[in-house]
Amino acid sequence: MGTAELAWHAARDGCYLSTAALLCAALPTLRPDHDKPEPYRHLRSTSPAGADITAAVDGGNVHLEVTGLPHDDMRRICLAAQVYFAPFTVETSLGRTPTPGKYTERARHARQHLTVRTDTADVRLKLPVKTASSVLNTLRSP
C-alpha cells in the first residue's frame, strides 16, 4: 500500500474508534464484537431489560438493531430516535396495546423497521451517530 492509502485507512479506523467510544459512553455495556473482522465497527450488548443490542458503524451513520425489548421501553427508543411508528405513537397514546405485526417507516433518509409481538418488539434503525448515542442512552436508564 502507498502512503496515501495507509493514511486513508488510519483515518477511517480512527473514525470507527471514536464513534465506538461515543456509543460505548452512552451505553457502557456495549462492547466490540471480536467475532467480526472489524470489531470496532460492530458493537454488541444486552440491555438491563434483556434485549439484544447490535450497532454497526457505517460512515456517519449507525445501523442499530434492538431485539426483544418490552413495549414501553421500545416506545421510548422510537421517540428518542424521532421515528414515529403508528403502534407506538397512536395506539399507546390512546391507552391501547400495540398491534402485533411488521411496520416500516421512512425517516431520517432511511427505511426504518419495527416488528411488534405480543409482549416484545424488535427495531432496526439507521441513525446519525449523535442520535444513535441518545437512543443508547435511553436504554441505559430505567
Side-chain angles (χ1 to χ4, degrees):
M1 274 193 248
T3 308
E5 193 173 358
L6 286 172
W8 182 86
H9 283 284
R12 182 198 63 185
D13 292 345
C15 178
Y16 292 153
L17 285 171
S18 63
T19 302
L22 177 70
L23 297 176
C24 289
L27 184 64
T29 59
L30 204 60
R31 297 284 178 248
D33 187 354
H34 291 287
D35 294 336
K36 304 282 184 178
E38 295 175 331
Y40 287 96
R41 271 189 70 192
H42 304 278
L43 307 167
R44 149 170 311 240
S45 178
T46 302
S47 77
D52 290 326
I53 303 160
T54 58
V57 179
D58 180 24
N61 292 310
V62 175
H63 297 271
L64 187 64
E65 188 170 339
V66 181
T67 57
L69 199 62
H71 292 165
D72 290 340
D73 295 333
M74 186 59 77
R75 183 175 191 275
R76 284 191 3 234
I77 296 301
C78 292
L79 292 176
Q82 298 173 351
V83 178
Y84 305 109
F85 292 105
F88 288 116
T89 53
V90 177
E91 293 181 14
T92 56
S93 65
L94 295 173
R96 298 185 204 151
T97 305
T99 305
K102 293 186 179 200
Y103 303 90
T104 303
E105 188 69 38
R106 183 100 179 134
R108 297 194 169 273
H109 309 291
R111 190 171 299 271
Q112 318 291 359
H113 303 278
L114 172 73
T115 303
V116 178
R117 288 185 294 289
T118 305
D119 297 326
T120 61
D122 304 338
V123 70
R124 286 183 321 195
L125 304 169
K126 180 180 177 184
L127 303 168
V129 173
K130 188 173 178 182
T131 305
S133 176
S134 297
V135 169
L136 290 172
N137 198 25
T138 63
L139 281 168
R140 155 165 92 170
S141 58

